[in-house]
Amino acid sequence: MTTTIKPKTAVGGVITVPGDKSISHRAVILGSISEGITQIHGFLRGEDNLATISCLRQLGVDFEEDVDNNILRVQGVGLRGLKPPKDVLFCGNSGTTMRLLCGLLAGQNFDSVLDGDPSLRKRPMERVATPLRLMGAEIATTGGNAPLKISGRPLVGIDYQMTIHSAQIKSAILLAGLYTKNKTKVTELKQGLTRNHTELMLANWQRLNGKIHICGDFSSAAFFVVLGLLLADAGLTIQNVGLNPTRTGLLTALKRMGGYIKTNITKTEGGEIVGNIFVKKSKLYPIALSGNQIPLMIDEIPIFTIAALFADGTTIISDAEELTVKETNRLQTITTELVKIGAKITADNQGMVIEGGHPISGATLDSHGDHRIAMSLAIAATNAQSPSIIQNANCADISFPDFYKTLAEL
Ligand code: S3P
């Protein structure tokens, strides 16, 4: 799909965004291996999450969808109830599906194969296979990548010191740890820098009593936070968004740039903080972003670069090498595309330099099949001086179905 984005002069109002992608993955995985029915409200029906459901169905789990009321019911099979899959488990574009299922499947008493689309087949998988092997897992990667062949076998708990900031690795080990007799311990490089949704959901599972309400995805709200800072004269409110502090590093960065952003917490559910975000058009100043600030906004760097384009002066991003192994090499893809609209931006394999404050013009742009690149480009194009065309725009459906509709309605 190709979409045309016309420049806007102002936006405003109150919006909501679809359910959190990371929490949705975890809710269906834990629901599948618990006893009885789990009722999930607000599950994200994005392509990545549908891939997780499809794999779990192949593992013998039944799902019932009430699309009108946005309720998904998972018929849990219990910790030992998963069945051997008859075919390859296809994870599509979803790194979270592949890495979390790798942890879940390592300790089963059957074998399985995980595969993905061409983008996922390029992403590093030894980072999950290595710690799982320390637990006794037998996992063969294909030159470090998918397809992954998992020979299910008994596992032992480990005391693991993480070497990369990654919630997916942490979660894979914790899921495998559910299948060991002894304790599994994961120590992060620094606590509180990677999303802790798995830990919170495990710790709160019993209290949730079979009912989970999934909040709006902060990473989806992020596109409209930046749009609001650029165009919302009277303000823009995004309601019911997850405000887990391991996710909201973008707000800290944008406030440092001078952004007018107010959050108010409305509830805490299952350990997850939820609230509303109010943003108003603001004059933005450049900042330097590095070190521990990066993991806290790991998925928001592409949209952050759009804010930086409109800040008067030079913004520098460093220590961001993890961005090179996402759905695309995001440092490169966002830079390649933004140059086409006249941005003064350069990238290497650990960061970017963005010289903001120059006017940008419309152009024909390409998402490279990366959902967060597509949506970041759409926000940039909304602020250009002439219309833009975005090719391969439909990949936004991976995490934010109706993104273009929400943008058009503002
Ligand atoms: C995710 C963790 C992050 C993030 C991804 C979702 C998760 O990946 O970039 O979009 O749900 O655990 P890493 O663990 O590779 O940093």
Side-chain angles (χ1 to χ4, degrees):
M1 178 188 108
T2 290
T3 193
T4 302
I5 307 284
K6 294 198 186 116
K8 285 182 195 281
T9 48
V11 298
V14 180
I15 61 166
T16 56
V17 293
D20 187 280
K21 178 157 82 74
S22 294
I23 300 176
S24 293
H25 283 299
R26 286 151 174 87
V28 287
I29 291 174
L30 292 188
S32 294
I33 55 167
S34 62
E35 306 280 344
I37 293 175
T38 301
Q39 188 164 302
I40 304 172
H41 297 252
F43 177 79
L44 172 63
R45 299 192 85 260
E47 286 173 10
D48 273 11
N49 300 96
L50 297 178
T52 297
I53 290 192
S54 149
C55 292
L56 291 166
R57 278 198 166 114
Q58 280 180 260
L59 292 161
V61 182
D62 280 336
F63 290 86
E64 191 196 303
E65 287 194 75
D66 174 352
V67 178
D68 292 341
N69 295 307
N70 201 2
I71 294 174
L72 177 70
R73 287 186 193 85
V74 191
Q75 180 68 59
V77 295
L79 197 59
R80 289 280 169 195
L82 296 176
K83 300 271 179 338
K86 293 199 178 70
D87 210 342
V88 170
L89 299 168
F90 187 67
C91 306
N93 191 247
S94 177
T96 311
T97 305
M98 183 168 284
R99 296 195 177 115
L100 267 55
L101 290 187
C102 193
L104 180 75
L105 294 170
Q108 304 294 331
N109 56 8
F110 55 79
D111 300 344
S112 34
V113 178
L114 294 168
D115 203 357
D117 72 4
S119 151
L120 186 52
R121 273 186 167 204
K122 282 196 206 131
R123 299 179 65 188
M125 291 298 150
E126 281 297 333
R127 51 174 60 196
V128 278
T130 301
L132 293 173
R133 284 189 199 115
L134 295 176
M135 301 176 81
E138 210 180 303
I139 300 167
T141 66
T142 309
N145 306 107
L148 306 179
K149 289 200 179 100
I150 303 169
S151 308
R153 43 180 294 155
L155 303 179
V156 287
I158 51 167
D159 188 340
Y160 188 69
Q161 169 64 57
M162 300 269 298
T163 56
I164 307 174
H165 294 292
S166 166
Q168 293 178 355
I169 303 174
K170 177 175 63 172
S171 301
I173 301 168
L174 293 176
L175 288 172
L178 296 175
Y179 291 87
T180 62
K181 281 205 191 89
N182 53 333
K183 199 153 98 183
T184 294
K185 184 175 167 194
V186 181
T187 308
E188 299 184 78
L189 279 171
K190 184 169 167 27
Q191 213 190 345
L193 297 189
T194 67
R195 62 197 70 192
N196 59 352
H197 306 304
T198 305
E199 299 91 295
L200 288 177
M201 201 176 280
L202 282 169
N204 285 283
W205 191 260
Q206 242 150 14
R207 270 190 294 277
L208 289 167
N209 204 18
K211 279 207 177 73
I212 299 181
H213 286 91
I214 296 179
C215 52
D217 195 326
F218 178 81
S219 297
S220 296
F223 301 104
F224 294 102
V225 167
V226 171
L227 184 65
L229 289 180
L230 298 176
L231 290 179
D233 292 304
L236 173 68
T237 301
I238 310 153
Q239 285 183 329
N240 192 41
V241 184
L243 296 174
N244 181 320
T246 62
R247 297 286 300 278
T248 52
L250 176 75
L251 298 187
T252 314
L254 293 173
K255 282 181 191 167
R256 276 174 61 214
M257 293 171 83
Y260 185 95
I261 304 174
K262 299 278 171 220
T263 53
N264 76 296
I265 295 171
T266 51
K267 61 179 175 185
T268 300
E269 214 171 353
E272 297 287 355
I273 300 167
V274 183
N276 304 327
I277 306 174
F278 177 79
V279 283
K280 224 159 72 170
K281 184 169 172 172
S282 310
K283 171 139 183 62
L284 298 178
Y285 300 90
I287 59 168
L289 206 61
S290 65
N292 289 344
Q293 293 155 351
I294 304 292
L296 292 170
M297 51 188 289
I298 192 71
D299 290 338
E300 284 67 64
I301 299 290
I303 187 61
F304 172 79
T305 63
I306 309 307
L309 284 188
F310 296 93
D312 240 333
T314 305
T315 293
I316 300 171
I317 303 173
S318 34
D319 305 323
E321 35 287 287
E322 268 299 300
L323 271 285
T324 63
V325 291
K326 294 293 177 191
E327 285 81 334
T328 58
N329 175 341
R330 286 183 169 158
L331 300 177
Q332 282 304 335
T333 46
I334 195 78
T335 300
T336 304
E337 296 310 308
L338 292 180
V339 164
K340 295 180 186 168
I341 56 174
K344 307 269 181 282
I345 171 169
T346 56
D348 59 22
N349 272 339
Q350 59 94 36
M352 284 187 269
V353 176
I354 306 138
E355 223 188 86
H358 300 283
I360 62 167
S361 48
T364 298
L365 304 169
D366 195 324
S367 73
H368 299 247
D370 184 330
H371 54 131
R372 301 207 195 279
I373 299 295
M375 293 184 274
S376 300
L377 294 176
I379 300 300
T382 305
N383 290 277
Q385 288 171 338
S386 51
S388 296
I389 291 170
I390 302 181
Q391 292 168 332
N392 296 312
N394 52 319
C395 60
D397 291 350
I398 285 169
S399 62
F400 196 158
D402 289 342
F403 168 78
Y404 299 104
K405 196 165 156 248
T406 307
L407 180 59
E409 278 167 8
L410 271 175

